[in-house]
Amino acid sequence: MIKFLKTKGTLFLILGILGFIGVAVTVTILATGHSAPDKLMAIYIGIFGLIPILLLLIIDRICVWKFGPAKVNKIEVYMLTAFILLFVLNWIRLQLQI
């Protein structure tokens, strides 16, 4: 597994695996609750949380297969940097709005 991540691993693959683990833990905690709304929320989080992550991983693997992990990782770092920059700019905008 470590050899695979070093040779074909990308940023979105690692984030996707961590996302799967996070959703699985959240669904497990909510599903073992005593109330019906907790179980229903676990179903919704399971459905709406895992589908986008799965689509992201499928697109990532197709791009790695077609272009190679080095080029895909470079583009993914640019995309993640742009999202972080937009998040920071939005936070600054909200702070100045007061």
Side-chain angles (χ1 to χ4, degrees), residues 3-24:
K3 183 180 176 185
F4 173 77
L5 286 176
K6 284 184 180 179
T7 58
K8 300 216 183 231
T10 60
L11 183 64
F12 285 177
L13 177 68
I14 294 170
L15 290 176
I17 291 170
L18 291 175
F20 267 128
I21 293 170
V23 169

Side-chain angles (χ1 to χ4, degrees), residues 12-74:
F12 285 177
L13 177 68
I14 294 170
L15 290 176
I17 291 170
L18 291 175
F20 267 128
I21 293 170
V23 169
V25 167
T26 305
V27 167
T28 304
I29 290 171
L30 286 174
T32 57
H34 296 292
S35 65
D38 285 345
K39 293 181 190 325
L40 188 62
M41 185 59 70
I43 292 170
Y44 285 139
I45 289 176
I47 291 171
F48 296 124
L50 290 178
I51 289 175
I53 294 172
L54 184 64
L55 289 175
L56 180 75
L57 287 177
I58 289 171
I59 292 169
D60 177 62
R61 292 292 93 194
I62 289 171
C63 290
V64 167
W65 170 69
K66 189 167 184 158
F67 302 113
K71 288 183 181 179
V72 173
N73 228 357
K74 191 162 103 176

